[in-house]
Amino acid sequence: MVAAARSEAETIAKDGEVGVHIWTDASGARLVITTEGDLVRVVTPTFYAAPGAVMSEPQAVDGGLVLAELVNDQDEVFTEIACQLEELALLGSAEPPIEAPVSVVVLGNTVHVTGRADGVPPGLVFEPTGAYAASTDATAHLTGVVLAVEERSVSRTGQGFTAARVQTDGFQVTLCVPVGEPRLAPGDVLEIDGYVVASIPSLR
């Protein structure tokens, strides 16, 4: 799968022997592939999603993580985020200050439906749990309300997954889980622990 995806991927960065390549399936499923020469060093799964927030001043830190703030349209900070960034290799050459629309994808490790919402309930939270605990994991705990749900399948493998648009604390994420784990519907209130991958398309 990775070898086939590598041959079809778009190269977004190259520095000597090291390259970063992004493969996007018709379903929206994505692989970010880092290579060194002919060797595949890192493969990060994610999803092609519409922006749902504005990221301000992303900074690369040890372990391949990016730390940043998410801001509203008055440039007020409403949360911090720790994530993997598809365009990490392009961050160093970008002209500062960086503030741009960002898509935030959460690959759900544990997802629980805790109730139903009429509108967006107060008290939603988004808490980075990896980087701020001196970990190298781009992980977060969040609560949110499902806005829309689509069931997709990867064209090359037939593997099914659910992509749900979720309103959390001041912004929107796209949550990806295997089909039926759990089954989701608009209006569901969720509690989520997951892995966070972001993309800033304007860096490309």
Side-chain angles (χ1 to χ4, degrees):
M1 172 67 187
V2 173
R6 168 67 187 90
S7 68
E8 300 170 0
E10 171 194 4
T11 298
I12 66 164
K14 196 84 164 66
D15 183 6
E17 288 289 293
V18 177
V20 179
H21 322 275
I22 295 182
W23 173 80
T24 305
D25 183 68
S27 65
R30 265 187 170 171
L31 296 177
V32 182
I33 305 168
T34 302
T35 58
E36 185 175 353
D38 294 329
L39 299 177
V40 173
R41 292 300 190 192
V42 181
V43 179
T44 302
T46 184
F47 182 76
Y48 175 76
V54 173
M55 180 176 280
S56 179
E57 299 187 21
Q59 302 291 324
V61 296
D62 291 344
L65 285 179
V66 166
L67 304 183
E69 296 172 336
L70 299 184
V71 299
N72 62 20
D73 53 9
Q74 280 81 47
D75 217 28
E76 299 169 330
V77 176
F78 53 79
T79 193
E80 296 175 316
I81 187 170
C83 61
Q84 294 288 337
L85 182 68
E86 291 185 18
E87 298 84 8
L88 175 62
L90 304 176
L91 201 54
S93 59
E95 184 176 344
I98 300 170
E99 186 169 301
V102 62
S103 65
V104 180
V105 173
V106 178
L107 307 177
N109 294 325
T110 61
V111 179
H112 300 288
V113 179
T114 60
R116 296 282 299 168
D118 293 322
V120 177
L124 299 179
V125 298
F126 180 93
E127 301 169 340
T129 55
Y132 297 101
S135 166
T136 56
D137 291 333
T139 54
H141 173 80
L142 61 148
T143 57
V145 178
V146 177
L147 304 177
V149 178
E150 292 186 70
E151 292 193 359
R152 308 281 187 96
S153 60
V154 180
S155 58
R156 188 175 291 278
T157 65
Q159 181 180 10
F161 65 97
T162 299
R165 193 70 165 180
V166 176
Q167 178 71 49
T168 185
D169 182 18
F171 65 105
Q172 294 179 6
V173 305
T174 298
L175 169 69
C176 294
V177 293
V179 170
E181 297 184 19
R183 191 161 297 282
L184 301 176
D188 285 344
V189 179
L190 304 181
E191 186 164 349
I192 304 163
D193 286 284
Y195 191 79
V196 184
V197 185
S199 174
I200 303 176
S202 62
L203 288 179
R204 298 192 190 183

